[in-house]
Amino acid sequence: MIAVHDLPALRALARRLKVPEVELRRVEKRLFKHRMPVDEVLAALPPATRTVWRNEVDWAPLELVSRQDSAVDGASKLAFQARDGAVIESVLLRFHTGRSSVCVSTQVGCAADCAFCATGRLGLKRNLTTAEILDQVLQAARLFHAEGRTLRNLVFMGMGEPLHNEVAVRDAVEALRDPERFNFTERHIVVSTVGVPAAMVRFAERFPGVNLALSLHSARDEVRRRLVPTTKRHSLTELRAAAAAVTARQRRPLMIEYLLFDGVTDTAADLAALQAFVAGIPVHLNLIPFNPVAGTEPLGLRGTPPERREAFGAALKRAGLKVTLRRSLGADIDGACGQLARRVGPAAPDND
Ligand code: SF4
């Protein structure tokens, strides 16, 4: 089957069916720019060819199987089922400024095994295909469109480590920034990684305009290895060199995500280590409150109380760093950072 974002293959099919270029352009426009439902997209094609288009093109590799809307903020968690039965999640985020964003998944489960993350508990089942990554965006865009909103921002921060699925993510980003397909502004796309140094540099070389975010969480090797076990392979020295190379190529600050854990990442030693890590590298630090996740209690991880979060941020600001204390949307629907797959997924620990 032809993946819907595969323009060369779609154009070859159009030639085979003798569909004029202008009609195919209308299809592409309806699909990618106007994010119309598939039936309305197909209506742009000659009736005699519609069955072939329907059968030969994989219009929607994911089926939306559930939706939870937050009662307290503008988040909605979507669960999609792939053809092989795997369930993944995306989160729609609506901000009071009117901005709309979607957080997409890149893998079924994740091998990174972060101590604070529900997805990490699942282990890695498989990588998502480019088509499955893009279908999350298309379906999210259609849902926003029905609400009179326009999806402009994308974050690769759902289930999975994007740079462990490097090729599919690279191809998805190519399609997302392509003016003939999704036409997203590069700086409105954020790919978040726990830190795969060589892949980070390759990404920045290929996409100097697309934002990378580094989920650092600790600038002390022994603490970071405990929180993000996959990074045992890479020292903070190696990661720091990659961060410097990324900013040199992208010519703008690197976003650094930092979860504040009471007594684990918020001590005076952590503050000093973080300042040393970012010294000389242009960064924007995002301090994130921790959302408790089932299964992490034995590790004794608790979020830093609000007043100490403020103090940690203030100390960094006094040191001249750009700092944001992030608000995390979707906590009541387990859609906040680190909570995906808590309730839906093939091997979710408390699957209901
Ligand atoms: S936080 Fe991200 S990288 Fe870490 S286990 Fe969860 S999904 Fe994977």
Side-chain angles (χ1 to χ4, degrees):
M1 267 190 139
I2 297 171
V4 80
H5 61 277
D6 186 348
L7 288 191
L10 285 181
R11 284 170 188 168
L13 179 61
R15 282 194 296 278
R16 177 155 70 81
L17 297 173
K18 301 195 178 8
V19 170
E21 179 85 17
V22 64
E23 296 195 27
L24 183 61
R25 291 235 175 266
R26 209 175 299 141
V27 167
E28 290 166 7
K29 214 167 176 182
R30 286 183 176 207
L31 186 67
F32 297 118
K33 294 238 168 88
H34 303 308
R35 286 97 194 226
M36 289 175 155
V38 175
D39 286 340
E40 290 177 40
V41 172
L42 286 167
L45 289 160
T49 69
R50 277 183 209 154
T51 308
V52 181
W53 285 98
R54 198 180 280 284
N55 293 339
E56 295 201 16
V57 178
D58 191 3
W59 295 95
L62 299 176
E63 183 191 349
L64 181 63
V65 289
S66 78
R67 169 179 172 157
Q68 288 171 268
D69 295 311
S70 168
V72 296
D73 57 37
S76 303
K77 186 166 71 169
L78 310 177
F80 292 106
Q81 188 160 35
R83 294 258 157 68
D84 64 356
V87 176
I88 54 150
E89 296 173 345
S90 313
V91 182
L92 307 185
L93 301 159
R94 301 171 189 82
F95 296 89
H96 57 84
T97 54
R99 191 161 64 88
S100 302
S101 182
V102 63
C103 174
V104 297
S105 294
T106 54
Q107 298 182 302
V108 182
C110 186
D113 196 22
C114 299
F116 47 83
C117 174
T119 306
R121 305 277 80 73
L122 302 177
L124 176 65
K125 307 294 175 198
R126 70 168 171 89
N127 283 333
L128 293 185
T129 64
T130 302
E132 288 167 336
I133 295 169
L134 293 174
D135 202 29
Q136 296 171 67
V137 180
L138 258 184
Q139 297 207 36
R142 287 189 192 118
L143 290 170
F144 278 131
H145 187 72
E147 299 171 9
R149 285 175 166 263
T150 304
L151 173 62
R152 292 199 205 285
N153 295 75
L154 301 173
V155 287
F156 285 73
M157 213 179 266
M159 296 167 71
E161 161 53 52
L163 297 184
H164 284 170
N165 186 11
E166 196 179 349
V167 173
V169 168
R170 180 198 67 198
D171 291 349
V173 173
E174 284 293 4
L176 291 166
R177 70 170 182 169
D178 181 357
E180 289 194 62
R181 288 177 282 176
F182 289 81
N183 197 27
F184 279 94
T185 305
E186 286 191 330
R187 67 190 158 81
H188 289 173
I189 303 173
V190 180
V191 173
S192 176
T193 175
V194 290
V196 186
M200 286 170 66
V201 177
R202 279 194 295 274
F203 188 91
E205 290 289 338
R206 184 155 183 145
F207 301 112
V210 176
N211 295 301
L212 263 180
L214 170 62
S215 295
L216 183 66
H217 307 321
S218 172
R220 292 197 287 153
D221 266 318
E222 68 282 11
V223 178
R224 191 159 200 269
R225 281 197 290 266
R226 190 151 59 89
L227 293 175
V228 190
T230 192
T231 59
K232 279 185 188 124
R233 276 175 271 159
H234 313 291
S235 68
L236 281 163
T237 308
E238 202 184 337
L239 188 57
R240 189 177 182 284
V246 166
T247 54
R249 182 71 183 94
Q250 298 201 319
R251 297 181 181 281
R252 63 178 183 285
L254 174 68
M255 271 187 263
I256 292 197
E257 312 282 337
Y258 193 96
L259 272 163
L260 282 165
F261 294 110
D262 191 10
V264 179
T265 63
D266 64 356
T267 65
D270 294 301
L271 187 63
L274 180 56
Q275 285 178 265
F277 183 87
V278 301
I281 304 175
V283 297
H284 184 145
L285 286 162
N286 255 327
L287 302 180
I288 313 171
F290 171 57
N291 297 298
V293 173
T296 58
E297 297 87 350
L299 296 160
L301 293 172
R302 287 181 313 273
T304 300
E307 62 284 359
R308 292 224 321 276
R309 283 206 307 262
E310 298 284 340
F312 197 89
L316 292 167
K317 282 182 189 166
R318 278 197 301 279
L321 293 162
K322 203 167 173 194
V323 181
T324 306
L325 287 164
R326 197 161 87 190
R327 196 167 72 89
S328 194
L329 299 185
D332 66 320
I333 54 168
D334 297 341
C337 301
Q339 290 187 320
L340 294 186
R342 183 176 176 184
R343 298 198 185 280
V344 183
D350 57 350
N351 198 356
D352 58 11

